Amino acid sequence: KAGVTQTPRYLIKTRGQQVTLSCSPISGHRSVSWYQQTPGQGLQFLFEYFSETQRNKGNFPGRFSGRQFSNSRSEMNVSTLELGDSALYLCASSFGTSGTTGELFFGEGSRLTVL
Amino acid sequence: GQQVMQIPQYQHVQEGEDFTTYCNSSTTLSNIQWYKQRPGGHPVFLIQLVKSGEVKKQKRLTFQFGEAKKNSSLHITATQTTDVGTYFCAGSQNTGFQKLVFGTGTRLLVSP
């Protein structure tokens, strides 16, 4: 079956702009998590959505937001981009059954460069 | 907040040597997962440990979960060049939800 698909794969923005990243999870997966990966900070948890509801949120400013649609596809948005937002943004899907922490299936990521 | 540290940050071994990475959490975990990320790739799930003191093996890889459920280790016997990558542990607290806190990662380089 198809894996997790993230678009776009690469993008370049300038400071102050905003960006929207998309993630299509594996069919049947209802949980989508977003992570930011940078060389200095490693993998940082942004948020997790399950059945269109945000269940968990990491310690990121309000400029980072997300949503999930009824088909489980998810988007994340970063407004007023800063240089420090340059990173690889990874989306991961899982079944997300409440009460368990299952295996995460990661997409290839969206590499954002902010100039 | 919950923090997960890994040591070492980096290790360079000769093919055939053993390798171990250690993972320590500031809080008790409900379970721990391990992932491998090849250079230029994305993290790929290796295993999940749930029980205190649990030990699991996958061919040359041995995973352990500490008795206090605050630490874990991954040991690779007789490394191969295909083992190159960064190994991450990821812990979940007793929330029941999908919030995994990833460790800082150990980058492994294997020379032939």
Side-chain angles (χ1 to χ4, degrees), chain A residues 2-84:
Chain A
V4 178
T5 304
Q6 290 188 246
T7 57
R9 290 290 313 279
Y10 303 90
L11 64 165
I12 300 173
K13 294 285 186 178
T14 56
R15 281 179 297 175
Q17 287 187 311
Q18 66 92 27
V19 66
T20 299
L21 309 177
S22 179
C23 173
S24 293
I26 291 172
S27 178
H29 285 188
R30 296 166 65 188
S31 170
V32 173
S33 301
W34 288 89
Y35 288 83
Q36 180 195 65
Q37 186 172 32
T38 58
Q41 297 296 319
L43 278 156
Q44 300 288 313
F45 175 79
L46 282 156
F47 26 66
E48 184 245 350
Y49 288 87
F50 181 83
S51 292
E52 302 179 67
T53 300
Q54 186 182 86
R55 287 199 301 191
N56 284 285
K57 189 176 188 304
N59 298 321
F60 278 81
R63 300 186 296 108
F64 292 80
S65 63
R67 59 178 175 169
Q68 186 180 34
F69 302 95
S70 58
N71 61 358
S72 293
R73 189 177 72 85
S74 178
E75 289 182 348
M76 68 163 283
N77 183 278
V78 187
S79 62
T80 319
L81 285 166
E82 300 176 0
L83 294 179

Coordinates of all heavy atoms in Angstrom, one line a residue, chain A residues 2-84:
Chain A
A2 N 0.3 2.4 -0.4 CA 1.1 3.6 -0.5 C 1.5 4.0 0.9 O 0.8 3.9 1.9 CB 0.2 4.7 -1.2
G3 N 2.7 4.7 0.9 CA 3.2 5.2 2.2 C 2.6 6.6 2.5 O 1.7 7.1 1.8
V4 N 3.3 7.3 3.4 CA 2.9 8.6 3.8 C 3.4 9.6 2.7 O 4.6 9.5 2.4 CB 3.4 9.0 5.1 CG1 3.1 10.4 5.5 CG2 2.9 8.0 6.2
T5 N 2.6 10.4 2.2 CA 3.0 11.3 1.1 C 3.0 12.8 1.6 O 2.0 13.2 2.2 CB 2.1 11.2 -0.1 OG1 2.0 9.9 -0.5 CG2 2.6 12.1 -1.2
Q6 N 4.1 13.4 1.5 CA 4.2 14.8 1.9 C 4.5 15.7 0.7 O 5.4 15.4 -0.2 CB 5.3 15.0 2.9 CG 5.0 14.4 4.3 CD 6.1 14.8 5.3 OE1 6.8 13.9 5.8 NE2 6.1 16.1 5.7
T7 N 3.9 16.8 0.6 CA 4.1 17.8 -0.4 C 4.1 19.2 0.2 O 3.4 19.5 1.1 CB 3.0 17.7 -1.5 OG1 1.8 17.9 -0.9 CG2 3.1 16.4 -2.3
P8 N 4.9 20.1 -0.4 CA 6.0 19.8 -1.4 C 7.2 19.2 -0.7 O 7.3 19.2 0.5 CB 6.3 21.2 -1.9 CG 6.1 22.1 -0.8 CD 4.9 21.5 0.0
R9 N 8.1 18.7 -1.5 CA 9.3 18.1 -0.9 C 10.3 19.1 -0.5 O 11.0 19.0 0.5 CB 9.9 17.1 -1.9 CG 9.1 15.8 -2.1 CD 9.1 14.9 -0.9 NE 10.5 14.7 -0.3 CZ 11.3 13.9 -0.8 NH1 11.1 13.1 -1.8 NH2 12.5 13.8 -0.2
Y10 N 10.4 20.1 -1.3 CA 11.3 21.2 -1.1 C 10.7 22.6 -1.4 O 9.9 22.7 -2.3 CB 12.6 21.1 -2.0 CG 13.3 19.8 -1.9 CD1 13.0 18.7 -2.7 CD2 14.3 19.6 -1.0 CE1 13.6 17.5 -2.6 CE2 15.0 18.4 -0.9 CZ 14.7 17.4 -1.7 OH 15.3 16.2 -1.6
L11 N 11.0 23.5 -0.5 CA 10.5 24.9 -0.8 C 11.4 25.9 -0.2 O 12.0 25.6 0.9 CB 9.0 25.0 -0.4 CG 8.7 24.9 1.1 CD1 7.3 25.4 1.3 CD2 8.7 23.5 1.6
I12 N 11.4 27.1 -0.8 CA 12.2 28.2 -0.3 C 11.3 29.4 -0.1 O 10.5 29.7 -1.0 CB 13.3 28.5 -1.3 CG1 14.3 27.3 -1.5 CG2 14.1 29.7 -0.8 CD1 15.3 27.6 -2.6
K13 N 11.3 29.9 1.1 CA 10.5 31.1 1.4 C 11.4 32.2 2.0 O 12.6 32.0 2.3 CB 9.5 30.7 2.4 CG 8.4 29.7 1.9 CD 7.4 30.4 1.0 CE 6.3 29.5 0.6 NZ 5.3 30.2 -0.3
T14 N 10.9 33.4 2.1 CA 11.6 34.5 2.7 C 11.0 34.8 4.0 O 9.8 34.5 4.3 CB 11.6 35.7 1.8 OG1 10.3 36.1 1.5 CG2 12.4 35.4 0.5
R15 N 11.7 35.5 4.9 CA 11.2 35.8 6.2 C 9.9 36.6 6.1 O 9.8 37.5 5.2 CB 12.3 36.7 6.9 CG 13.4 35.9 7.5 CD 14.4 36.8 8.2 NE 15.0 37.7 7.3 CZ 15.9 38.7 7.6 NH1 16.1 38.9 8.9 NH2 16.4 39.4 6.7
G16 N 9.0 36.3 7.0 CA 7.7 37.0 7.0 C 6.6 36.4 6.2 O 5.4 36.6 6.4
Q17 N 7.0 35.5 5.2 CA 6.0 34.8 4.5 C 5.4 33.7 5.3 O 5.8 33.4 6.4 CB 6.7 34.2 3.2 CG 7.0 35.2 2.1 CD 7.5 34.5 0.9 OE1 8.3 33.6 0.9 NE2 6.9 35.0 -0.3
Q18 N 4.4 33.0 4.7 CA 3.8 31.9 5.4 C 3.9 30.7 4.4 O 4.0 30.8 3.2 CB 2.3 32.2 5.8 CG 1.4 32.4 4.6 CD 0.7 31.1 4.2 OE1 0.5 30.2 5.0 NE2 0.3 31.0 2.9
V19 N 3.7 29.5 5.0 CA 3.9 28.3 4.2 C 2.9 27.3 4.7 O 2.5 27.2 5.9 CB 5.3 27.7 4.3 CG1 5.6 27.3 5.8 CG2 5.5 26.6 3.4
T20 N 2.4 26.5 3.8 CA 1.4 25.4 4.1 C 2.0 24.1 3.6 O 2.4 24.0 2.4 CB 0.1 25.6 3.5 OG1 -0.5 26.8 4.1 CG2 -0.9 24.4 3.9
L21 N 2.1 23.1 4.5 CA 2.7 21.8 4.1 C 1.5 20.8 4.2 O 0.7 20.9 5.1 CB 3.8 21.4 5.0 CG 4.9 22.4 5.2 CD1 6.0 21.9 6.2 CD2 5.6 22.7 3.8
S22 N 1.6 19.8 3.3 CA 0.5 18.8 3.2 C 1.0 17.4 3.5 O 2.1 17.1 3.2 CB -0.2 18.9 1.9 OG -1.2 17.9 1.8
C23 N 0.2 16.6 4.1 CA 0.5 15.2 4.4 C -0.7 14.3 4.2 O -1.8 14.5 4.7 CB 0.9 15.1 5.9 SG 1.2 13.4 6.5
S24 N -0.5 13.3 3.4 CA -1.5 12.3 3.2 C -1.1 11.0 3.9 O 0.0 10.4 3.5 CB -1.7 12.0 1.7 OG -2.3 13.1 1.1
P25 N -1.8 10.6 4.9 CA -1.4 9.4 5.7 C -1.6 8.1 4.9 O -2.3 8.1 3.9 CB -2.2 9.5 6.9 CG -3.5 10.1 6.5 CD -3.0 11.1 5.4
I26 N -1.1 7.0 5.5 CA -1.4 5.7 4.9 C -2.9 5.4 5.1 O -3.5 5.8 6.1 CB -0.6 4.6 5.7 CG1 0.9 4.8 5.3 CG2 -1.1 3.2 5.4 CD1 1.8 3.9 6.1
S27 N -3.5 4.8 4.1 CA -4.9 4.5 4.1 C -5.3 3.7 5.4 O -4.7 2.7 5.7 CB -5.3 3.7 2.9 OG -6.7 3.4 2.9
G28 N -6.3 4.2 6.1 CA -6.8 3.6 7.3 C -6.2 4.1 8.6 O -6.7 3.9 9.7
H29 N -5.1 4.9 8.4 CA -4.5 5.6 9.6 C -5.3 6.9 9.9 O -5.5 7.7 9.0 CB -3.0 5.9 9.3 CG -2.1 4.8 9.4 ND1 -0.8 4.9 9.3 CD2 -2.4 3.4 9.5 CE1 -0.2 3.7 9.4 NE2 -1.2 2.8 9.5
R30 N -5.6 7.0 11.2 CA -6.4 8.2 11.6 C -5.6 9.2 12.3 O -6.0 10.3 12.6 CB -7.6 7.8 12.4 CG -8.6 6.9 11.6 CD -9.6 6.2 12.5 NE -10.4 7.1 13.2 CZ -11.3 6.7 14.1 NH1 -11.3 5.5 14.5 NH2 -12.1 7.6 14.7
S31 N -4.4 8.8 12.7 CA -3.5 9.8 13.5 C -2.4 10.3 12.6 O -1.8 9.5 11.9 CB -2.9 9.0 14.7 OG -1.9 9.8 15.3
V32 N -2.2 11.6 12.6 CA -1.1 12.2 11.9 C -0.4 13.1 12.9 O -1.0 14.0 13.6 CB -1.7 13.1 10.8 CG1 -0.5 13.9 10.1 CG2 -2.3 12.2 9.7
S33 N 0.9 12.9 13.0 CA 1.8 13.7 13.8 C 2.7 14.5 13.0 O 3.1 14.0 11.9 CB 2.6 12.8 14.8 OG 1.7 12.1 15.6
W34 N 3.2 15.6 13.4 CA 4.1 16.5 12.7 C 5.3 16.7 13.6 O 5.2 16.9 14.8 CB 3.5 17.8 12.4 CG 2.5 17.8 11.3 CD1 1.2 17.6 11.4 CD2 2.7 17.9 9.9 NE1 0.5 17.6 10.2 CE2 1.5 17.8 9.2 CE3 3.9 18.2 9.1 CZ2 1.3 17.9 7.8 CZ3 3.7 18.3 7.7 CH2 2.5 18.2 7.1
Y35 N 6.5 16.6 13.0 CA 7.8 16.8 13.7 C 8.6 17.8 12.9 O 8.6 17.8 11.7 CB 8.5 15.5 13.9 CG 7.9 14.6 14.9 CD1 6.9 13.7 14.6 CD2 8.4 14.5 16.2 CE1 6.3 12.9 15.5 CE2 7.8 13.7 17.2 CZ 6.8 12.9 16.8 OH 6.2 12.0 17.7
Q36 N 9.4 18.6 13.6 CA 10.4 19.4 13.0 C 11.8 18.8 13.3 O 12.1 18.5 14.5 CB 10.3 20.8 13.6 CG 11.4 21.8 13.0 CD 11.5 23.1 13.8 OE1 12.0 23.0 15.0 NE2 11.2 24.2 13.3
Q37 N 12.6 18.6 12.2 CA 13.9 18.1 12.4 C 15.0 19.1 12.0 O 15.0 19.5 10.8 CB 14.1 16.8 11.7 CG 15.4 16.1 12.0 CD 15.6 14.7 11.4 OE1 15.0 14.4 10.4 NE2 16.3 13.9 12.1
T38 N 15.8 19.4 12.9 CA 17.0 20.3 12.6 C 18.2 19.7 13.2 O 18.2 18.9 14.1 CB 16.8 21.7 13.3 OG1 16.7 21.5 14.7 CG2 15.6 22.4 12.7
P39 N 19.4 20.0 12.6 CA 20.6 19.4 13.1 C 20.9 19.6 14.6 O 21.4 18.8 15.3 CB 21.7 20.0 12.2 CG 21.0 20.4 11.0 CD 19.6 20.8 11.4
G40 N 20.5 20.8 15.0 CA 20.8 21.2 16.4 C 19.8 20.7 17.4 O 20.2 20.4 18.5
Q41 N 18.6 20.6 17.0 CA 17.5 20.2 18.0 C 16.9 18.8 17.8 O 16.1 18.4 18.6 CB 16.4 21.3 17.9 CG 16.8 22.7 18.2 CD 17.2 22.8 19.7 OE1 16.5 22.2 20.6 NE2 18.3 23.5 19.9
G42 N 17.3 18.1 16.8 CA 16.8 16.8 16.6 C 15.4 16.8 16.1 O 14.9 17.8 15.4
L43 N 14.6 15.8 16.5 CA 13.2 15.7 16.1 C 12.3 16.3 17.3 O 12.3 15.8 18.4 CB 12.8 14.2 16.0 CG 13.2 13.6 14.6 CD1 13.3 12.1 14.8 CD2 12.1 13.9 13.6
Q44 N 11.7 17.4 16.9 CA 10.8 18.0 17.9 C 9.3 17.9 17.5 O 8.9 18.1 16.4 CB 11.1 19.5 18.0 CG 12.6 19.8 18.4 CD 12.8 19.6 19.8 OE1 12.1 20.0 20.7 NE2 13.9 18.9 20.1
F45 N 8.5 17.4 18.5 CA 7.1 17.2 18.3 C 6.4 18.5 18.1 O 6.5 19.4 19.0 CB 6.6 16.4 19.5 CG 5.1 16.2 19.4 CD1 4.5 15.2 18.6 CD2 4.3 16.9 20.2 CE1 3.2 15.0 18.6 CE2 2.9 16.7 20.2 CZ 2.4 15.7 19.4
L46 N 5.6 18.6 17.1 CA 4.8 19.8 16.8 C 3.4 19.6 17.3 O 2.9 20.3 18.2 CB 4.8 20.2 15.4 CG 6.0 20.9 14.8 CD1 6.2 20.6 13.3 CD2 6.0 22.3 15.1
F47 N 2.7 18.7 16.7 CA 1.3 18.4 17.2 C 0.9 17.0 16.6 O 1.5 16.5 15.6 CB 0.3 19.5 16.8 CG 0.6 20.3 15.7 CD1 0.7 19.8 14.4 CD2 0.9 21.7 15.8 CE1 1.0 20.6 13.3 CE2 1.2 22.5 14.8 CZ 1.3 22.0 13.5
E48 N -0.3 16.6 17.1 CA -0.8 15.3 16.6 C -2.3 15.5 16.5 O -3.0 16.1 17.3 CB -0.5 14.1 17.6 CG -1.0 12.8 17.0 CD -2.1 12.2 17.9 OE1 -2.4 12.7 19.0 OE2 -2.7 11.2 17.4
Y49 N -2.8 15.0 15.4 CA -4.3 15.0 15.1 C -4.8 13.6 15.0 O -4.2 12.7 14.4 CB -4.5 15.8 13.8 CG -4.3 17.3 14.0 CD1 -3.1 17.8 13.8 CD2 -5.4 18.1 14.4 CE1 -2.8 19.2 14.0 CE2 -5.1 19.5 14.5 CZ -3.9 20.0 14.3 OH -3.6 21.4 14.5
F50 N -6.0 13.5 15.5 CA -6.8 12.2 15.4 C -8.2 12.5 15.1 O -8.8 13.3 15.9 CB -6.6 11.4 16.6 CG -7.3 10.1 16.6 CD1 -6.7 9.0 16.1 CD2 -8.5 9.9 17.2 CE1 -7.3 7.8 16.0 CE2 -9.2 8.7 17.2 CZ -8.6 7.6 16.6
S51 N -8.8 12.0 14.0 CA -10.2 12.3 13.7 C -10.5 13.8 13.7 O -11.5 14.2 14.4 CB -11.1 11.5 14.6 OG -11.0 10.1 14.4
E52 N -9.7 14.5 13.1 CA -9.9 16.0 12.9 C -9.7 16.8 14.2 O -9.9 18.0 14.2 CB -11.2 16.3 12.3 CG -11.5 15.6 11.0 CD -12.9 15.9 10.4 OE1 -13.1 17.0 10.1 OE2 -13.7 14.9 10.3
T53 N -9.2 16.2 15.3 CA -9.1 16.9 16.5 C -7.6 16.9 16.9 O -6.9 15.8 16.8 CB -9.9 16.2 17.6 OG1 -11.3 16.2 17.3 CG2 -9.7 16.9 19.0
Q54 N -7.1 18.0 17.4 CA -5.7 18.0 17.9 C -5.7 17.4 19.3 O -6.3 17.9 20.2 CB -5.2 19.5 17.9 CG -3.8 19.6 18.3 CD -3.3 21.0 18.4 OE1 -3.4 21.7 19.5 NE2 -2.8 21.6 17.3
R55 N -5.0 16.3 19.4 CA -4.9 15.6 20.7 C -3.7 16.0 21.5 O -3.7 16.0 22.7 CB -4.8 14.1 20.5 CG -6.1 13.5 20.0 CD -6.1 12.0 20.3 NE -5.1 11.3 19.6 CZ -5.0 9.9 19.5 NH1 -6.0 9.2 20.0 NH2 -4.0 9.3 18.9
N56 N -2.6 16.4 20.9 CA -1.4 16.7 21.6 C -0.7 17.9 20.8 O -0.8 18.0 19.6 CB -0.4 15.5 21.6 CG -0.8 14.5 22.6 OD1 -0.7 14.7 23.8 ND2 -1.3 13.4 22.1
K57 N 0.0 18.7 21.6 CA 0.7 19.8 21.1 C 2.0 20.0 21.7 O 2.2 19.8 22.9 CB -0.2 21.1 21.3 CG 0.4 22.3 20.5 CD -0.6 23.5 20.7 CE -0.2 24.7 19.9 NZ 1.2 25.1 20.1
G58 N 3.0 20.3 20.9 CA 4.4 20.5 21.4 C 4.6 21.9 21.9 O 3.6 22.7 21.9
N59 N 5.8 22.2 22.2 CA 6.1 23.6 22.7 C 6.6 24.5 21.5 O 7.7 25.0 21.5 CB 7.2 23.5 23.8 CG 6.7 22.7 25.0 OD1 5.5 22.8 25.4 ND2 7.5 21.9 25.5
F60 N 5.7 24.8 20.6 CA 6.0 25.7 19.5 C 5.1 26.9 19.6 O 4.0 26.8 20.1 CB 5.9 25.0 18.2 CG 7.0 24.1 17.8 CD1 7.2 22.9 18.3 CD2 8.0 24.6 16.9 CE1 8.3 22.1 17.9 CE2 9.1 23.8 16.5 CZ 9.2 22.6 17.1
P61 N 5.6 28.0 19.1 CA 4.8 29.2 19.2 C 3.5 29.1 18.3 O 3.4 28.2 17.5 CB 5.7 30.3 18.6 CG 6.7 29.6 17.8 CD 6.9 28.3 18.5
G62 N 2.6 30.0 18.5 CA 1.3 30.0 17.8 C 1.4 30.1 16.3 O 0.4 29.9 15.6
R63 N 2.6 30.5 15.8 CA 2.8 30.7 14.4 C 2.6 29.3 13.7 O 2.4 29.2 12.5 CB 4.1 31.3 14.1 CG 4.4 32.6 14.7 CD 5.7 33.2 14.2 NE 6.9 32.4 14.6 CZ 7.6 31.6 13.8 NH1 7.3 31.5 12.5 NH2 8.6 30.9 14.3
F64 N 2.8 28.3 14.5 CA 2.7 26.9 13.9 C 1.3 26.4 14.2 O 0.9 26.3 15.4 CB 3.8 26.0 14.6 CG 5.2 26.3 14.2 CD1 5.8 27.4 14.8 CD2 5.8 25.6 13.2 CE1 7.2 27.7 14.5 CE2 7.1 25.9 12.9 CZ 7.8 26.9 13.5
S65 N 0.6 26.0 13.2 CA -0.7 25.5 13.4 C -1.0 24.4 12.4 O -0.2 24.1 11.5 CB -1.8 26.6 13.1 OG -1.7 27.1 11.8
G66 N -2.0 23.6 12.6 CA -2.3 22.5 11.8 C -3.8 22.2 11.8 O -4.6 22.8 12.5
R67 N -4.1 21.3 10.9 CA -5.5 20.8 10.9 C -5.6 19.5 10.2 O -4.6 19.1 9.5 CB -6.4 21.8 10.2 CG -6.1 22.1 8.7 CD -7.1 23.1 8.1 NE -6.7 23.5 6.8 CZ -7.6 24.1 6.0 NH1 -8.8 24.4 6.4 NH2 -7.2 24.5 4.7
Q68 N -6.6 18.8 10.4 CA -6.8 17.5 9.8 C -8.2 17.4 9.2 O -9.2 17.9 9.8 CB -6.7 16.3 10.8 CG -6.7 15.0 10.1 CD -6.5 13.8 11.1 OE1 -7.0 13.9 12.3 NE2 -5.8 12.8 10.7
F69 N -8.3 16.9 8.0 CA -9.6 16.8 7.3 C -10.3 15.5 7.5 O -9.7 14.5 8.1 CB -9.3 17.0 5.8 CG -8.6 18.3 5.5 CD1 -7.3 18.4 5.4 CD2 -9.4 19.5 5.4 CE1 -6.6 19.6 5.1 CE2 -8.7 20.7 5.2 CZ -7.4 20.8 5.0
S70 N -11.5 15.4 7.1 CA -12.3 14.2 7.4 C -11.7 12.9 6.7 O -11.9 11.8 7.1 CB -13.7 14.4 6.9 OG -13.7 14.7 5.5
N71 N -10.8 13.1 5.7 CA -10.2 11.9 5.0 C -8.8 11.6 5.7 O -8.1 10.9 5.1 CB -10.0 12.2 3.5 CG -9.2 13.4 3.2 OD1 -8.7 14.1 4.1 ND2 -9.0 13.6 1.9
S72 N -8.5 12.3 6.8 CA -7.3 12.1 7.6 C -6.1 12.9 7.0 O -5.1 12.9 7.7 CB -6.9 10.6 7.8 OG -7.9 10.0 8.6
R73 N -6.2 13.4 5.9 CA -5.2 14.2 5.3 C -4.9 15.4 6.3 O -5.9 15.9 6.9 CB -5.5 14.7 3.9 CG -4.3 15.4 3.2 CD -4.7 15.8 1.8 NE -5.6 16.9 1.8 CZ -5.3 18.2 1.8 NH1 -4.0 18.6 2.0 NH2 -6.2 19.2 1.8
S74 N -3.7 15.8 6.4 CA -3.4 16.9 7.3 C -2.6 18.0 6.7 O -1.8 17.7 5.7 CB -2.7 16.4 8.5 OG -2.3 17.4 9.5
E75 N -2.7 19.2 7.2 CA -1.9 20.3 6.7 C -1.3 21.0 8.0 O -1.9 21.0 9.0 CB -2.7 21.3 5.9 CG -3.1 20.9 4.6 CD -3.9 22.0 3.8 OE1 -4.3 23.0 4.5 OE2 -4.1 21.8 2.6
M76 N -0.1 21.5 7.8 CA 0.4 22.4 8.8 C 0.8 23.7 8.2 O 1.2 23.8 7.0 CB 1.6 21.8 9.6 CG 2.9 21.6 8.8 SD 4.3 21.4 9.9 CE 4.6 23.0 10.5
N77 N 0.7 24.8 8.9 CA 0.9 26.1 8.5 C 1.9 26.8 9.4 O 1.8 26.7 10.6 CB -0.4 26.9 8.4 CG -0.2 28.3 7.8 OD1 0.1 29.2 8.5 ND2 -0.4 28.4 6.5
V78 N 2.8 27.5 8.8 CA 3.7 28.3 9.6 C 3.6 29.8 9.1 O 3.8 30.0 7.9 CB 5.2 27.9 9.5 CG1 6.0 28.7 10.5 CG2 5.3 26.4 9.8
S79 N 3.2 30.7 9.9 CA 3.0 32.1 9.5 C 4.2 32.9 9.9 O 5.0 32.5 10.8 CB 1.8 32.6 10.1 OG 1.8 32.6 11.5
T80 N 4.4 34.0 9.3 CA 5.5 34.9 9.7 C 6.8 34.2 9.9 O 7.4 34.2 10.9 CB 5.1 35.7 10.9 OG1 3.8 36.1 10.9 CG2 6.0 37.0 11.0
L81 N 7.3 33.6 8.8 CA 8.4 32.7 8.8 C 9.7 33.5 9.3 O 9.9 34.7 9.1 CB 8.7 32.2 7.4 CG 7.8 31.0 7.0 CD1 8.0 30.8 5.5 CD2 8.1 29.8 7.8
E82 N 10.5 32.7 10.1 CA 11.7 33.2 10.6 C 12.8 32.3 10.1 O 12.6 31.2 9.7 CB 11.7 33.2 12.2 CG 10.6 34.1 12.8 CD 10.6 33.9 14.3 OE1 11.4 33.2 14.9 OE2 9.7 34.6 14.9
L83 N 14.1 32.9 10.1 CA 15.2 32.1 9.6 C 15.3 30.7 10.4 O 15.6 29.7 9.8 CB 16.5 32.9 9.8 CG 16.6 34.1 9.0 CD1 18.0 34.8 9.3 CD2 16.5 33.8 7.5
G84 N 15.0 30.7 11.7 CA 15.1 29.5 12.5 C 14.1 28.5 12.2 O 14.1 27.4 12.7

